Amino acid sequence: MCIRQLLIAAVVLTGFQMHSVQAYTPQSPEVRKMIDAGLKYLEKSKEDRFGGKCLIALTFIKNNQPDHPWVAKALEACQQEAQANKLENIDMYSNGLAIIFLCELDVLKHRKLIDYYLGLLAKRQKQHGGWGYDNFETGDTSQSQYGALSLWEAHEKGININPAMAERAAKWLMATQDPSGAWGYQGKLAQNGKLVKQEETTCSMASAGMGSLLIFADLFGVIERSNKAKQDEDSDLPPGLRPVANTSTRRAPRLSAGSLNQQQMLATLERGDQWMNKNYEVELERFTSYYMYALERYKSFQEILDGTREESPTWYNNGVNYAMKTQDKSGSWETGCSEGPDTAFTILFLMRSTRGMIEASLGEGISIGGVGLPTAGQIKMGKDGKLVADVPKTEVDDMLKFIEDGDLSTFDGIDPSSIQLDGSDAKSIRKLEQVARNGPWQARIVAVKALARTGDLDRVPTLLF
């Protein structure tokens, strides 16, 4: 090869490497530009389908626009369909999306509506545990993922869901996995305990299956127990080098697993992950936007299972590059579901919407794998040469002022250890107990943790409350 050819090859290789390592996050200017253009397109969308309205409204809620006209349209559609009370008029996608939309909008204000759609979800669950077309006996992996996500969303918002309903769905997913580790479109049940070959196995269906099963692993606490086992394996490491388990306080406890075989669930997830590692691709022949939303859900829940969090993973960068290449000058995307839904799916992918939902369920401002850690600016070297947290003190009266001013985001940065209390500080303790019992949830979390640190048994009734 001549020098000229070598130089050309070097330039091409360098260009490829630069392109392949391009890192994006939902805050990247290029990503925000696409999101904003997509939202602008959706504002003029003519989507008439019930589920489509909920999906489009969800993108505006995720963009911190709960008062957008599309949100009002979707809410009105939810109310009208509930008033009509005809199960046959509401497809499974719309059923699930309505629950997700209403939970994200205001779970307290719209509790009756949410209960209505959860009731429909229970009625249409098939005997084997999956969801699908009313006139089909088989469960549908594509539709079932919205049953799984809506159950998780409701549970994390504090609504009691039927554990048996979730358990049946999890068992159906484990019984309809292809022996290769993928999932098909219409699930065929395992025979005599052995998995059978599925039809129409794709990255989209594998992502739907994996995302749904990971959701149930999270609901039943299988993920936490798996992380505990991994932590035990590393118990011989120095404490500072051991993986941080996902131990943050949730608003809702994990469900009782009943007769669910948790080892089988983890084995199913392992097969699915191996299949995706071998067969992953970015662009499908059809429904790529729909697939991207399922992929983001799968990968976001997998972060909990693995105890890791990557700000700019390869799969996300690949999706961003695909979105850049395919966005129409109108701001829309169209990959098979029609422009409104496809645009909404792509925007939710670009926003990393599922990861946002997960982090909200763990406590706003808390990141996976780093729960309770002080920020870099709060670390200093102690006298013994060890790193210690240098946390500024917080006065109880300051907390009350934050609540009075409505400055609730401030509580994200308050370390409970910064609130200095002892048994003689009765006035401050009484104030903290009032916050713990009656304050907004952001303040209650800090107050409860601060009270627990006193070691005073007189505080037990408040802590139990």
Side-chain angles (χ1 to χ4, degrees):
M1 183 180 291
C2 68
I3 293 178
R4 175 181 171 80
Q5 289 173 315
L6 285 171
L7 287 172
I8 292 174
V11 169
V12 170
L13 180 60
T14 302
F16 172 77
Q17 289 173 334
M18 288 176 64
H19 176 74
S20 64
V21 299
Q22 179 68 53
Y24 300 104
T25 71
Q27 290 75 42
S28 296
E30 304 93 331
V31 176
R32 276 307 317 179
K33 183 179 178 181
M34 285 192 289
I35 291 172
D36 291 341
L39 290 170
K40 189 174 181 180
Y41 169 82
L42 287 179
E43 287 184 345
K44 302 175 183 178
S45 175
K46 304 297 183 183
E47 180 63 44
D48 290 326
R49 291 169 292 183
F50 175 33
K53 291 177 181 178
C54 292
L55 180 64
I56 290 173
L58 189 61
T59 65
F60 289 104
I61 292 176
K62 295 291 186 181
N63 199 51
N64 298 317
Q65 295 176 266
D67 298 323
H68 193 277
W70 262 110
V71 176
K73 286 182 188 178
L75 178 58
E76 183 182 11
C78 289
Q79 293 166 336
Q80 288 176 347
E81 292 295 345
Q83 195 170 22
N85 194 25
K86 292 184 178 180
L87 175 64
E88 62 272 16
N89 289 353
I90 304 172
D91 61 87
M92 179 57 202
Y93 293 109
S94 299
N95 196 159
L97 285 167
I99 296 169
I100 297 162
F101 159 69
L102 291 168
C103 284
E104 286 290 308
L105 180 59
D106 192 326
V107 71
L108 296 177
K109 190 174 181 180
H110 304 300
R111 177 61 188 270
K112 288 186 178 180
L113 267 179
I114 295 168
D115 285 343
Y116 171 77
Y117 286 107
L118 282 171
L120 292 189
L121 192 70
K123 286 181 181 178
R124 70 189 333 144
Q125 186 178 29
K126 298 180 183 295
Q127 191 66 34
H128 48 58
W131 287 275
Y133 293 105
D134 294 338
N135 58 338
F136 282 28
E137 291 185 9
T138 53
D140 184 313
T141 307
S142 177
Q143 295 183 42
S144 292
Q145 66 181 317
Y146 288 92
L149 184 58
S150 59
L151 284 177
W152 184 90
E153 177 84 28
H155 180 76
E156 295 303 312
K157 296 295 185 182
I159 297 175
N160 290 328
I161 63 171
N162 186 349
M165 188 176 172
E167 185 180 340
R168 288 198 304 273
K171 287 180 177 179
W172 176 81
L173 284 162
M174 291 189 286
T176 56
Q177 186 182 40
D178 188 84
S180 68
W183 273 267
Y185 178 38
Q186 298 295 318
K188 296 180 180 180
L189 293 169
Q191 300 296 322
N192 300 318
K194 292 186 178 181
L195 298 176
V196 300
K197 185 173 178 57
Q198 304 292 322
E199 296 178 2
E200 298 182 81
T201 54
T202 63
C203 286
S204 183
M205 291 302 99
S207 295
M210 284 292 289
S212 300
L213 196 56
L214 281 164
I215 281 173
F216 292 122
D218 183 49
L219 279 174
F220 289 113
V222 176
I223 284 177
E224 280 85 347
R225 281 183 279 277
S226 176
N227 280 338
K228 177 64 168 61
K230 292 175 185 176
Q231 198 172 33
D232 291 342
E233 290 174 3
D234 295 320
S235 59
D236 57 333
L237 293 173
L241 297 179
R242 295 175 193 167
V244 179
N246 178 18
T247 58
S248 61
T249 302
R250 293 172 178 269
R251 252 196 286 180
R254 301 300 87 189
L255 301 176
S256 173
S259 62
L260 194 65
N261 187 324
Q262 297 175 34
Q263 290 304 315
Q264 181 186 355
M265 176 179 278
L266 290 171
T268 303
L269 290 169
E270 178 65 23
R271 281 194 299 271
D273 200 37
Q274 289 177 358
W275 188 91
M276 279 296 289
N277 288 339
K278 293 177 182 176
N279 298 279
Y280 161 76
E281 56 183 326
V282 182
E283 185 174 352
L284 307 183
E285 290 183 7
R286 292 187 71 199
F287 309 121
T288 304
S289 297
Y290 176 80
Y291 157 56
M292 288 167 66
Y293 181 44
L295 178 67
E296 189 270 334
R297 188 180 319 123
Y298 153 37
K299 291 297 185 179
S300 294
F301 277 97
Q302 189 180 48
E303 287 181 342
I304 308 179
L305 180 64
D306 293 344
T308 60
R309 173 181 166 134
E310 192 176 351
E311 284 301 319
S312 185
T314 299
W315 60 265
Y316 181 74
N317 293 329
N318 290 343
V320 170
N321 286 325
Y322 169 79
M324 284 181 179
K325 182 178 69 174
T326 55
Q327 187 173 28
D328 186 75
K329 61 182 180 181
S330 66
S332 67
W333 287 271
E334 202 285 308
T335 63
C337 292
S338 79
E339 290 179 343
D342 280 330
T343 302
F345 284 133
T346 307
I347 290 172
L348 291 172
F349 170 88
L350 293 172
M351 288 179 169
R352 291 298 314 270
S353 63
T354 308
R355 188 175 71 176
M357 291 164 60
I358 292 170
E359 289 180 351
S361 79
L362 296 175
E364 199 169 47
I366 297 174
S367 61
I368 297 167
V371 176
L373 293 178
T375 63
Q378 296 173 326
I379 299 293
K380 70 176 183 179
M381 187 71 71
K383 293 180 180 179
D384 57 358
K386 296 181 179 179
L387 293 175
V388 296
D390 181 22
V391 182
K393 292 183 179 180
T394 301
E395 300 292 337
V396 175
D397 286 339
D398 289 338
M399 290 180 58
L400 298 177
K401 189 174 187 305
F402 296 150
I403 295 172
E404 183 179 345
D405 294 342
D407 190 11
L408 302 181
S409 62
T410 304
F411 288 98
D412 293 344
I414 296 179
D415 187 329
S417 66
S418 71
I419 303 172
Q420 305 298 320
L421 295 172
D422 56 45
S424 64
D425 195 0
K427 186 176 180 181
S428 292
I429 286 177
R430 282 199 303 272
K431 290 178 179 178
L432 267 184
E433 286 187 311
Q434 287 299 315
V435 172
R437 288 176 176 269
N438 304 310
W441 69 266
Q442 297 93 330
R444 292 177 68 189
I445 290 173
V446 176
V448 166
K449 289 181 178 180
L451 288 168
R453 291 178 63 85
T454 67
D456 187 348
L457 294 180
D458 290 339
R459 309 284 75 80
V460 170
T462 297
L463 298 177
L464 289 175
F465 173 84

